[in-house]
Amino acid sequence: MKTMKIIPWMIILSCSISFAQTKVIRVNKTSSEETNLAFQNHDINKLNLESKIIGKTALPALYRFKKRQLILNGAGLRELLWVDIYACGLYLHRPNTDPVDIVDRNETMIMRMDILSKAVSHDKMVKAFYKGFIDGNSKDTIEKYGREIDVFLKHIEGLKLKVGDKVDVVYEPSIGVSLYLNYNKVGTVGNLGFKKAIFNIWLSDNPVDKSLHKELLEGAKSFLDTK
């Protein structure tokens, strides 16, 4: 009987390898017995496998990116005048409640945004990113990475955004900061220094949204408190 329970999971895992490299793996809730059987000897056993409902969307607890398994550190809503603009989730290798440490780390991480409002356009997102870049960084950083932010914003200008679109800001060591729209790469720019400047939009002492800043770290705090 136990063997029969393993088969569906093994099929899902094997099929996921053929998906696009940035394809999200959504894992449904299952019994602890099934989980332990299917993921024996894998770190995935330690994770909460349920997706997190954020506004009118759900962010997966696990994200498979180029054979790396990232976890949802925390998630929340970016709101403006009581309107949900986008759901936002931070994906890391391991739970982390220290925003400075997260920004400084030279490891793969992803900031995911699910577009929730028709009010979001590429023009408004360009303005929001630029404002967040200016507000979240020092004058020296702004001057140092002015060229990189211009290139990054040009990538955003090429997006035709609509409700339901998924925008990923992905940092990879030795590669840089890449922008994805619905799992398709739009472009890459910068290095670790520029990555720090970009992730400061959400994680600095002066973030784009203080409530969202807290929520991006809150999930990790809850996870660590239960260990």
Side-chain angles (χ1 to χ4, degrees):
M1 295 300 292
K2 292 183 178 180
T3 302
M4 293 300 291
K5 292 182 178 180
I6 297 175
I7 293 174
W9 285 103
M10 298 309 295
I11 292 174
I12 292 172
L13 290 175
S14 63
C15 289
S16 67
I17 302 301
S18 64
F19 290 168
Q21 288 181 325
T22 56
K23 193 70 175 179
V24 165
I25 307 299
R26 292 188 181 274
V27 185
N28 296 324
K29 184 177 181 181
T30 185
S31 68
S32 58
E33 180 183 2
E34 288 175 319
T35 299
N36 289 332
L37 285 171
F39 298 107
Q40 188 175 6
N41 297 324
H42 291 273
D43 287 341
I44 198 170
N45 281 337
K46 303 173 183 177
L47 306 177
N48 175 7
L49 299 180
E50 296 183 37
S51 294
K52 184 175 180 62
I53 304 298
I54 304 293
K56 295 181 180 180
T57 189
L59 297 177
L62 305 176
Y63 195 131
R64 174 70 59 83
F65 180 81
K66 293 185 178 179
K67 298 183 180 180
R68 291 183 175 89
Q69 195 88 315
L70 304 179
I71 67 168
L72 182 62
N73 193 72
L77 289 170
R78 171 73 173 104
E79 297 176 307
L80 186 62
L81 299 176
W82 302 284
V83 175
D84 295 343
I85 303 300
Y86 59 77
C88 186
L90 173 62
Y91 289 87
L92 305 174
H93 285 270
R94 62 193 64 80
N96 194 335
T97 61
D98 185 344
V100 175
D101 184 54
I102 294 171
V103 169
D104 286 345
R105 280 190 175 275
N106 187 23
E107 60 185 33
T108 300
M109 61 184 66
I110 298 173
M111 193 70 75
R112 148 63 59 88
M113 288 163 280
D114 277 16
I115 306 301
L116 301 178
S117 172
K118 294 180 180 179
V120 178
S121 65
H122 62 273
D123 289 336
K124 290 182 178 179
M125 183 164 279
V126 165
K127 293 177 181 177
F129 262 91
Y130 186 72
K131 185 177 186 303
F133 175 77
I134 297 298
D135 291 346
N137 292 286
S138 67
K139 290 183 179 180
D140 288 342
T141 297
I142 294 168
E143 291 178 2
K144 184 175 182 179
Y145 295 105
R147 185 189 68 81
E148 284 84 351
I149 190 63
D150 286 343
V151 175
F152 188 77
L153 294 179
K154 285 185 182 300
H155 291 322
I156 297 177
E157 287 176 356
L159 304 183
K160 295 181 180 180
L161 297 174
K162 61 184 182 300
V163 174
D165 279 347
K166 303 179 186 306
V167 178
D168 292 317
V169 177
V170 180
Y171 172 71
E172 297 175 86
S174 74
I175 293 179
V177 179
S178 299
L179 183 70
Y180 285 79
L181 175 63
N182 297 326
Y183 315 115
N184 297 307
K185 183 185 283 190
V186 179
T188 302
V189 63
N191 53 19
L192 176 60
F194 181 63
K195 170 259 183 177
K196 294 178 181 180
I198 287 295
F199 277 73
N200 267 336
I201 292 173
W202 300 276
L203 298 174
S204 70
D205 290 336
N206 188 30
V208 65
D209 188 308
K210 291 184 178 180
S211 177
L212 177 58
H213 175 279
K214 179 180 179 181
E215 290 170 322
L216 291 173
L217 306 172
E218 197 68 28
K221 182 178 185 301
S222 299
F223 180 87
L224 293 171
D225 287 345
T226 60
K227 293 184 66 175

